[in-house]
Amino acid sequence: MGAAASWTLPTFLNSTIFQMDSLAADSLTQVVNGKDGRILIVLQMGGGNDGLNTLVPYSDDAYYKARRNIAIPKEAVLKINDRFGMNPQLAELKNLYDSGDLAILNGVGYPNPNRSHFRSMEIWQTASDSDKNEHYGWLGRYFDNACTGAPSTVGVNIGSMPPQAFLGPKPIGIAMANANRYRFIESEALTGSPMMQESDSGNVAGNNSGSSIENLGGAMPPLQDGMTNMDFLQRTALDAELSSQDVQKITSKYQSSVAYPKNRLASDLQLIAQLIAGGLPTRIYYANQGGFDTHADQLGSHSRLMKEFSSALGAFVADLKQQGNFERVLIMTFSEFGRRVEENASRGTDHGVAGPMFLLGGKVKSGVHSDYPSLTDLDKGDLKHQVDFRSVYATVLENWLQTGSDVILKKSFPKLGFV
């Protein structure tokens, strides 16, 4: 069609239509054959998950003295070793550990921690030092350094707003709440430009934030082949529309026989499972479970969150195994900080520092990969971190995504042995 209509097309389309057609053909081949590389799924536990009631130090009297109302009883803990075990609501996660599919990291944090939700999340998403402000996200820098020429679906966020982790020098990645509508992720390099998103009619539309396209000027990233700013945005819109069609085709073809629980996280992970089964050429998926800011009446709400977390992951892993895709998937969970050791007067916990991370996958080296922090040797009432979270990122980048970590994280960090 592009060749037949080339005499009516704008210059930019005439010069790029055949390249995009080739990309589309490659994408459709992957859809049919299910071919793709390794996949990373990042699961954010938003609000600050209480690590002490997630991985419970049941043998430590200091835990029960500090938490007289909200401690998990010893007899209920799903024991990992002679020091700690899992929350009783994490039965599916415990089964994954027992089957050799789960790695545990205790006490993950960073030096000079910040207890603000927004600042600490920014630190985790950009992989910056706590005393520095970094503009781009660590995954955005990964896309920029290792995914040149990749389609927009190389990064997929499940939800209407992209995470800062995806922000990079060049706009790439999509955010979707469901398979039928998604918005193209706008890089802050395009500040003031219309954001590419699907309108209610399904067509790509601009959401003007106040500045005209003509005023973008030097804010634009480097353009290719002499394209103008307008050309660049038109190409972005066309690529987004093309990807949207692929996404809808993929999700309509796959129906899993795995019974997912009825919660939002499970629905989001089920959508990811559909996209993986369909062969979407995506390297990074990003999902979020919120509600972990448990300042009051924590016991009931946190138990509910643990059950949703565990049951959703259990179904998701079962789905991936049924597909035959579990071996090429790594799931990494994180929260912006843990909670304080001592419960507060409202039978909840306040913002703390270090917390646990889970790594799940068919290639994961199962086991406990860092020591449980001391509950008596504290820093102003908080656990001292045992592992810098950027060591986790460095290990994922180098050992899983198979790319150098120094340029992406802007310094070198020790690698861990979980993959």
Side-chain angles (χ1 to χ4, degrees):
M1 290 175 62
S6 61
W7 64 275
T8 65
L9 295 176
T11 302
F12 112 90
L13 280 176
N14 192 38
S15 62
T16 63
I17 189 71
F18 293 107
Q19 180 183 359
M20 293 191 68
D21 183 63
S22 176
L23 289 173
D26 290 344
S27 177
L28 291 174
T29 298
Q30 289 175 316
V31 169
V32 172
N33 297 328
K35 293 180 180 179
D36 199 358
R38 291 181 173 185
I39 295 170
L40 171 66
I41 299 171
V42 180
L43 174 52
Q44 173 183 323
M45 304 169 77
N49 177 44
D50 180 22
L52 290 177
N53 275 21
T54 301
L55 296 177
V56 184
Y58 69 91
S59 65
D60 197 331
D61 291 339
Y63 167 72
Y64 292 98
K65 289 179 181 178
R67 300 188 168 201
R68 298 187 182 277
N69 297 294
I70 66 169
I72 306 297
K74 292 182 180 180
E75 60 273 15
V77 175
L78 306 176
K79 295 177 176 59
I80 296 293
N81 55 33
D82 59 5
R83 181 165 188 204
F84 73 91
M86 290 187 183
N87 186 294
Q89 299 298 324
L90 297 177
E92 295 86 356
L93 207 66
K94 178 60 161 57
N95 290 336
L96 291 171
Y97 180 84
D98 292 340
S99 64
D101 297 323
L102 174 67
I104 295 172
L105 291 170
N106 290 302
V108 185
Y110 55 90
N112 304 311
N114 191 297
R115 294 177 183 83
S116 161
H117 287 293
F118 302 105
R119 177 56 186 150
S120 189
M121 184 58 69
E122 182 179 51
I123 291 168
W124 275 82
Q125 301 238 12
T126 63
S128 69
D129 292 333
S130 61
D131 61 347
K132 296 179 181 178
N133 290 305
E134 174 60 48
H135 188 60
Y136 297 124
W138 74 284
L139 292 174
R141 297 195 298 271
Y142 163 72
F143 294 146
D144 192 51
N145 282 276
C147 302
T148 303
S152 59
T153 51
V154 69
V156 174
N157 174 69
I158 306 301
S160 59
M161 295 299 293
Q164 186 177 2
F166 272 25
L167 181 64
K170 300 174 184 177
I172 194 168
I174 63 173
M176 66 171 77
N178 59 60
N180 296 318
R181 294 179 62 200
Y182 72 80
R183 66 180 61 190
F184 188 85
I185 292 173
E186 177 191 27
S187 168
E188 285 194 9
L190 298 175
T191 298
S193 69
M195 178 157 55
M196 294 300 119
Q197 63 180 11
E198 289 198 17
S199 66
D200 291 337
S201 64
N203 296 320
V204 174
N207 180 16
N208 200 320
S209 58
S211 299
S212 68
I213 293 175
E214 289 77 7
N215 290 335
L216 292 174
M220 289 291 293
L223 303 179
Q224 299 174 355
D225 302 324
M227 284 195 294
T228 66
N229 293 340
M230 179 65 81
D231 288 344
F232 181 87
L233 290 176
Q234 286 177 310
R235 178 167 178 170
T236 295
L238 182 59
D239 187 44
E241 178 70 10
L242 186 94
S243 300
S244 176
Q245 295 168 4
D246 289 343
V247 166
Q248 292 177 47
K249 289 178 183 177
I250 287 170
T251 55
S252 66
K253 289 181 179 179
Y254 175 73
Q255 296 295 326
S256 173
S257 63
V258 173
Y260 279 80
K262 302 297 183 182
N263 64 65
R264 179 177 174 178
L265 177 61
S267 296
D268 290 348
L269 293 178
Q270 186 175 20
L271 174 56
I272 293 175
Q274 288 178 304
L275 297 173
I276 292 173
L280 193 71
T282 300
R283 300 301 304 276
I284 311 292
Y285 289 96
Y286 200 103
N288 179 67
Q289 181 188 21
F292 287 96
D293 198 20
T294 50
H295 287 282
D297 300 322
Q298 174 179 302
L299 199 57
S301 60
H302 190 258
S303 293
R304 174 182 56 79
L305 290 165
M306 290 287 95
K307 180 61 179 175
E308 291 178 358
F309 174 78
S310 181
S311 61
L313 280 172
F316 182 57
V317 169
D319 200 345
L320 292 178
K321 287 184 176 181
Q322 186 179 89
Q323 297 174 17
N325 282 319
F326 189 55
E327 294 293 312
R328 62 188 188 92
V329 171
L330 177 67
I331 306 162
M332 180 184 77
T333 74
F334 83 98
S335 193
E336 67 264 37
F337 46 60
R339 317 296 293 188
R340 296 180 75 82
V341 173
E342 189 172 354
E343 68 181 48
N344 61 29
S346 301
R347 300 195 175 193
T349 51
D350 297 324
H351 299 179
V353 179
M357 292 182 71
F358 297 114
L359 289 304
L360 299 87
K363 298 292 187 180
V364 160
K365 296 178 182 177
S366 182
V368 179
H369 291 267
S370 61
D371 294 334
Y372 205 98
S374 171
L375 273 64
T376 54
D377 181 18
L378 303 176
D379 181 10
K380 300 177 182 178
D382 283 323
L383 301 173
K384 295 180 179 179
H385 81 276
Q386 309 295 301
V387 177
D388 192 310
F389 75 93
R390 291 164 295 185
S391 281
V392 184
Y393 289 179
T395 306
V396 168
L397 287 166
E398 297 205 9
N399 295 356
W400 185 249
L401 296 176
Q402 298 177 318
T403 190
S405 63
D406 292 12
V407 66
I408 295 170
L409 302 178
K410 299 191 173 182
K411 62 175 69 173
S412 180
F413 293 92
K415 311 306 179 295
L416 306 173
F418 58 81
V419 67

